[in-house]
């Protein structure tokens, strides 16, 4: 079985597996970890203007929204064409330098670093600062894709101080789905720790995969560095208009957090009750252990369920599948289907 590098696009997963895909509306895609809650707001966009006029290259409206929410200056915010662009912008400064990635993690970090000729190595814990303090940069995903693990700011910030010459690129693409715990601080003080760069995605929380929109939070000097290499008009006008409409709906974000904080533990408990071994998570996806990932993935595909393999994640190597939480009735169907032998 040929495995794709990313989740989503289930039609390509079926093609790679050599399985005839059911009608698209009959496939439940548990391989993509975007928000499943429908947005009930109104998207009032002048489509022709968005298509015909040059976008605001300073993305002032979007930056103003984020600056107000984060209580920082607009100079501390940079909007990009999806957080992937920020990953590649950061990597572009690391050619010939030493960089580490906290694994297992999203594969684009290593891909971007390799593209710019960085000298890379994998680490599997940040408990020992000597593992990475000689590195020019450390990429880490928080909450981490694909494991769902999370490191609170109170634990991360001492690392920033202990390795002042290391640039910490913290990808918080899934921060909006974080299942909270009492006493955690959450937000990193990137203004005080100038070696911290925070990446955020609007793709996941607002299910805006098609328009590609994300932003960076950092001290002014870091933002200016990244901006110097970002292409002109990087964020298109349609993305800016849609992003502004969604970001103003803070009630939707809160409703999303409440939904996943309740539904993900319920879904996982149902799977455990059915005999599956499920790893703990702090976000909207989790790992299920399997002795034969290919067999399980194919079996689910044949029943209209797409999941994410873990063969290209160092340290996991196909011993798990990643599953994202969907609507309750869909999650219940997954539990019934995954636990039933093929007829």
């Amino acid at each position: 079985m040929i495995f794709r590098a990313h989740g989503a696009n289930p039609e390509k997963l079926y093609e790679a597996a050599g399985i005839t895909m059911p009608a698209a509306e009959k496939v439940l895609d548990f391989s993509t970890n975007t928000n499943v809650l429908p947005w009930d707001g109104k998207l009032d966009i002048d489509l022709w203007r968005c298509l015909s006029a040059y976008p605001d290259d300073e993305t002032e409206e979007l930056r103003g929204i984020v600056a107000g929410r984060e209580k920082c200056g607009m100079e501390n915010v940079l909007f990009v064409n999806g957080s992937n662009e920020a990953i590649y912008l950061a990597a572009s400064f690391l050619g010939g330098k030493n960089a580490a990635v906290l694994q297992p993690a999203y594969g684009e970090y290593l891909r971007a670093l390799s593209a710019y000729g960085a000298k890379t190595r994998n680490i599997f814990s940040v408990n020992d600062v000597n593992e990475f303090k000689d590195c020019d940069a450390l990429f880490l995903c928080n909450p981490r894709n694909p494991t769902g693990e999370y490191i609170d700011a109170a634990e991360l910030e001492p690392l920033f101080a202990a390795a002042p010459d290391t640039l910490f690129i913290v990808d918080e693409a899934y921060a909006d789905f974080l299942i909270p715990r009492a006493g955690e601080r959450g937000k990193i003080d990137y203004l005080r720790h100038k070696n911290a760069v925070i990446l955020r995605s609007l793709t996941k929380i607002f299910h805006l995969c098609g328009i590609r929109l994300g932003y960076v939070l950092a001290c002014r000097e870091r933002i200016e560095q990244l901006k110097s290499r970002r292409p002109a008009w990087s964020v298109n006008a349609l993305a800016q208009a849609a992003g502004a409409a969604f970001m103003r709906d803070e009630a939707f974000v809160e409703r999303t957090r409440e939904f996943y904080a309740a539904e993900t533990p319920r879904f996982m408990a149902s799977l455990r009750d059915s005999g599956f071994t499920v790893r703990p998570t702090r976000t909207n996806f989790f790992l299920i252990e399997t002795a034969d990932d290919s067999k399980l993935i194919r079996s689910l595909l044949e029943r209209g369920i797409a999941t994410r393999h873990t063969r290209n994640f160092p340290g996991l190597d196909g011993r798990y599948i990643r599953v994202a939480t969907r609507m309750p009735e869909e999650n219940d169907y997954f539990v019934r289907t995954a636990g039933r032998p093929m007829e």
Side-chain angles (χ1 to χ4, degrees):
M1 180 174 178
I2 299 172
F3 290 93
R4 284 172 38 75
H6 296 294
N9 300 113
E11 65 280 358
K12 294 184 179 179
L13 179 58
Y14 273 92
E15 181 181 355
I19 298 173
T20 301
M21 181 177 172
E25 64 273 12
K26 294 185 178 181
V27 174
L28 296 177
D29 190 0
F30 287 83
S31 75
T32 185
N33 37 28
T34 53
N35 196 348
V36 294
L37 292 186
W39 186 61
D40 57 3
K42 184 179 180 182
L43 199 57
D44 187 12
I45 290 178
D46 185 338
L47 181 59
W48 179 244
R49 178 174 177 78
C50 288
L51 295 176
S52 61
Y54 278 97
D56 173 16
D57 197 35
E58 296 298 321
T59 58
E60 289 192 359
E61 183 177 14
L62 294 176
R63 287 166 57 226
I65 294 172
V66 171
R69 183 176 300 167
E70 294 289 328
K71 296 180 173 54
C72 66
M74 289 180 63
E75 68 274 10
N76 301 119
V77 186
L78 178 69
F79 266 82
V80 286
N81 187 269
S83 55
N84 261 2
E85 182 180 41
I87 292 168
Y88 280 79
L89 287 174
S92 74
F93 289 92
L94 297 169
K97 296 183 178 181
N98 295 313
V101 177
L102 178 62
Q103 297 286 5
Y106 183 44
E108 288 297 312
Y109 308 143
L110 281 179
R111 188 167 181 263
L113 289 165
S114 298
Y116 286 101
K119 302 170 187 176
T120 62
R121 71 171 181 260
N122 294 327
I123 64 170
F124 294 87
S125 172
V126 292
N127 292 334
D128 184 0
V129 72
N130 293 316
E131 286 282 318
F132 55 83
K133 71 181 302 182
D134 63 327
C135 289
D136 296 287
L138 169 62
F139 279 78
L140 58 101
C141 191
N142 199 43
R144 200 188 313 181
N145 177 16
T147 66
E149 295 170 289
Y150 176 72
I151 308 172
D152 187 51
E155 298 177 66
L156 281 176
E157 289 183 347
L159 302 178
F160 305 159
D165 296 325
T166 300
L167 178 64
F168 291 81
I169 300 150
V170 185
D171 185 352
E172 296 185 349
Y174 302 97
D176 289 310
F177 301 98
L178 181 67
I179 298 172
R181 284 182 183 168
E184 287 184 328
R185 181 152 55 84
K187 291 189 177 182
I188 292 169
D189 189 347
Y190 48 84
L191 298 180
R192 182 163 67 94
H193 297 283
K194 297 186 183 299
N195 58 335
V197 172
I198 313 302
L199 312 185
R200 296 270 180 84
S201 171
L202 299 183
T203 296
K204 309 301 182 184
I205 181 65
F206 296 124
H207 203 138
L208 295 176
C209 310
I211 63 172
R212 315 307 305 155
L213 187 63
Y215 61 93
V216 182
L217 297 169
C219 68
R220 182 172 188 162
E221 294 80 4
R222 298 293 183 190
I223 293 295
E224 289 299 323
Q225 283 180 326
L226 295 171
K227 187 178 178 181
S228 72
R229 295 191 178 182
R230 188 195 63 175
W233 303 297
S234 173
V235 182
N236 69 74
L238 185 57
Q240 292 190 41
F246 277 88
M247 290 179 71
R248 288 196 176 93
D249 191 350
E250 295 188 26
F252 177 72
V253 175
E254 186 57 34
R255 189 163 70 250
T256 295
R257 289 175 177 151
E258 292 173 356
F259 168 76
Y260 281 103
E263 182 58 20
T264 296
R266 188 198 71 84
F267 182 21
M268 294 171 65
S270 295
L271 285 164
R272 290 191 182 104
D273 289 344
S274 296
F276 287 95
T277 300
V278 182
R279 282 184 52 164
T281 188
R282 295 292 305 281
T283 189
N284 63 321
F285 52 82
F286 53 89
L287 297 178
I288 298 176
E289 289 188 19
T290 175
D292 189 337
D293 64 329
S294 179
K295 182 179 179 180
L296 179 56
I297 290 169
R298 290 185 65 89
S299 172
L300 291 169
L301 284 174
E302 288 166 356
R303 293 163 173 161
I305 292 175
T307 57
R308 174 71 161 88
H309 73 90
T310 60
R311 292 194 177 193
N312 58 339
F313 291 107
L316 299 182
D317 309 314
R319 293 176 289 115
Y320 306 84
I321 61 169
R322 190 193 71 192
V323 174
T325 301
R326 293 184 60 88
M327 299 300 286
E329 62 276 12
E330 296 170 330
N331 298 331
D332 291 343
Y333 176 75
F334 183 103
V335 174
R336 294 195 306 271
T337 301
R340 189 178 76 245
M342 288 294 292
E343 297 174 355

